[in-house]
Amino acid sequence: MKDEAMTQVPADSDLIAARKAPASLLRYFLAHGSSAAAIKLAAVILSYLFLILLARSVDEAEYGRYGFAISLTVFLGILANCGQGMAILRFWAQFQAKDDPARAKGAMLRSYLTVLIGAGGVVGLAFLGVALAKLLNPALDAGYLYAAAFLTFPSAIAAYQGAAMRALGFVARAMLPTDIFHRGVMVLALLYLLGSSLQLSAELVLWISGGLWLVLLIPQAVRIVRETRRQAPAAKADLDIPAWRGASLGLWGLGVLGILSQSSDVVVLGLYYGPEETGTYFVALKVASIFLIFFATANVLTAPMISRAFHGGDHDEVQRICRTICALLILPAGCGLLIVVFAGDLLLGLFGASFAEGHLVLGVLSAGFVICVLSGPANMLLTMTGHENKYLQILGATRIAMVLAQVLLIPLLGPLGAAVGSALGQLALAVWSRSFAVRHLGVDPSVLCLLERQPRPADLTQPDGGQD
């Protein structure tokens, strides 16, 4: 099929040719990233269609509960994932590049089991937490919180399976269940509910979403098992627990801290004002996150490519990948920011007239996301080259500072304070991670690399070998 032929990255002849010249690499990304970009664009359309329909069908308080529950689910899903999505992207490509199928198969097996156990444990603890909160506060509306806890399980599994499919070389198939099928069916389900006599609520929507996700993930799981056996047919799985344990904690920490920049805003605001008052900020955050579409699409391809190039000894290729990605990202980021500045209120108004008042919040959040985009694949560069522990330090320090800034600014500025804290956190992360990459890897992952006529000479250290 077209998807299989176009996204089998390890053996693709176009990728071999792309390593010979920057122009070829650019053509490779344009050709092989087009399907991923199209899926991401369709996913965004479906997602915002769903959010707009929901915002116009329930009151602001109910919409606030939904936004709070989704943000909580995303955070718990990252906890449950235990960093294994990033781990399989790195280790499968690394071991295959070193012709070690036994360790590659072992990486897939241990990661999958870890996510299943982690997801089950987090869901159990979440249910217990909601039950205790209900016991202490009988007036608490716990229904949507139970639904959010349940949704955590398929959320964690979906994140891992998508990463596993990308590691195996199937980009489009990795994205379709979550980005297209789940979102599309949810739109249809919402339209059906609006035409029925059922009372629409955040709780009902969350339960339907979780059940649908479980159904869609089963065929993908079967495909992962079959493809793993095909690509490593004769090898007996080598779990290599010491190596896995050493890297997993850092990768898990990266996932937990990374999600703070996407969901902590709504959670912190909800703790100050209550979930019902976070609807406008939730909408602004969702609109601003459009900037990450092309960034996420680039990461879909670059994560295994960086790992394969670095661990295969092709250090110049690492810089060429970064330069190519930055060249592709700079124009969409600039155009998107102009749209937000001049038409942000119109975008927010699609969700309802009351949401248009968040234009300034949207602008500040968008500026933060643009900084993230222009930093290039810095996160993937450090993680895929084995510097996840250093990146964890950088991310941890900047994320903690971001939350502290939000705690201080929200009482003074309200939702705008949360947006300012988020933007400052993005700036600090971009500057620090670029500085480390330039000094210790000899690679500039940011758009500033486009100002250099020649790639920076390779001066790569061993993983975690340099200290800041």
Side-chain angles (χ1 to χ4, degrees), residues 323 447-454:
R323 289 172 63 88
V447 293
L448 296 179
C449 72
L450 300 176
L451 301 178
E452 301 175 5
R453 293 190 177 183
Q454 297 294 330

Side-chain angles (χ1 to χ4, degrees), residues 256-425:
V256 173
L257 292 174
I259 204 62
L260 288 176
S261 63
Q262 301 178 33
S263 62
S264 67
D265 310 38
V266 178
V267 174
V268 174
L269 272 176
L271 294 176
Y272 268 102
Y273 299 109
E276 296 83 0
E277 303 299 324
T278 62
T280 298
Y281 190 90
F282 178 71
V283 168
L285 183 62
K286 284 297 181 181
V287 173
S289 64
I290 292 177
F291 284 98
L292 298 182
I293 297 174
F294 297 101
F295 188 66
T297 301
N299 280 341
V300 164
L301 291 176
T302 57
M305 288 179 67
I306 289 175
S307 178
R308 189 175 299 107
F310 178 83
H311 296 288
D314 194 351
H315 298 160
D316 291 338
E317 177 73 356
V318 177
Q319 181 66 80
R320 284 198 296 270
I321 291 171
C322 293
R323 289 172 63 88
T324 304
I325 290 301
C326 289
L328 291 173
L329 291 177
I330 191 168
L331 181 60
C335 292
L337 190 58
L338 289 175
I339 292 174
V340 166
V341 171
F342 293 104
D345 55 339
L346 298 178
L347 293 175
L348 294 173
L350 294 174
F351 294 83
S354 62
F355 293 107
E357 64 186 25
H359 190 185
L360 181 57
V361 171
L362 172 62
V364 175
L365 287 171
S366 298
F369 281 119
V370 168
I371 291 171
C372 176
V373 171
L374 297 185
S375 68
N379 60 332
M380 289 299 172
L381 174 63
L382 297 185
T383 303
M384 293 296 108
T385 57
H387 291 80
E388 68 277 352
N389 289 334
K390 183 59 188 181
Y391 189 61
L392 177 61
Q393 297 175 24
I394 297 173
L395 187 62
T398 55
R399 296 304 90 169
I400 292 173
M402 182 195 78
V403 173
L404 290 176
Q406 290 174 331
V407 170
L408 294 174
L409 293 172
I410 287 174
L412 299 175
L413 303 175
L416 181 60
V420 171
S422 177
L424 290 176

Side-chain angles (χ1 to χ4, degrees), residues 39-100:
I39 291 174
K40 277 295 180 185
L41 181 60
V44 168
I45 293 174
L46 290 172
S47 178
Y48 284 91
L49 178 58
F50 173 82
L51 291 174
I52 290 171
L53 287 173
L54 183 62
R56 291 180 172 273
S57 305
V58 298
D59 59 35
E60 190 171 348
E62 197 66 33
Y63 192 75
R65 292 189 187 96
Y66 176 81
F68 182 83
I70 288 296
S71 298
L72 186 61
T73 295
V74 171
F75 181 73
L76 293 177
I78 292 296
L79 286 177
N81 191 264
C82 301
Q84 297 310 298
M86 193 68 70
I88 196 59
L89 283 171
R90 170 179 158 188
F91 288 125
W92 182 269
Q94 176 180 335
F95 294 144
Q96 290 289 65
K98 294 183 177 181
D99 194 23
D100 193 349

Side-chain angles (χ1 to χ4, degrees), residues 220-236:
Q220 190 182 58
V222 173
R223 182 58 183 265
I224 290 172
V225 173
R226 290 178 177 176
E227 193 60 31
T228 300
R229 291 174 177 173
R230 189 186 73 82
Q231 294 191 22
K236 182 180 179 180

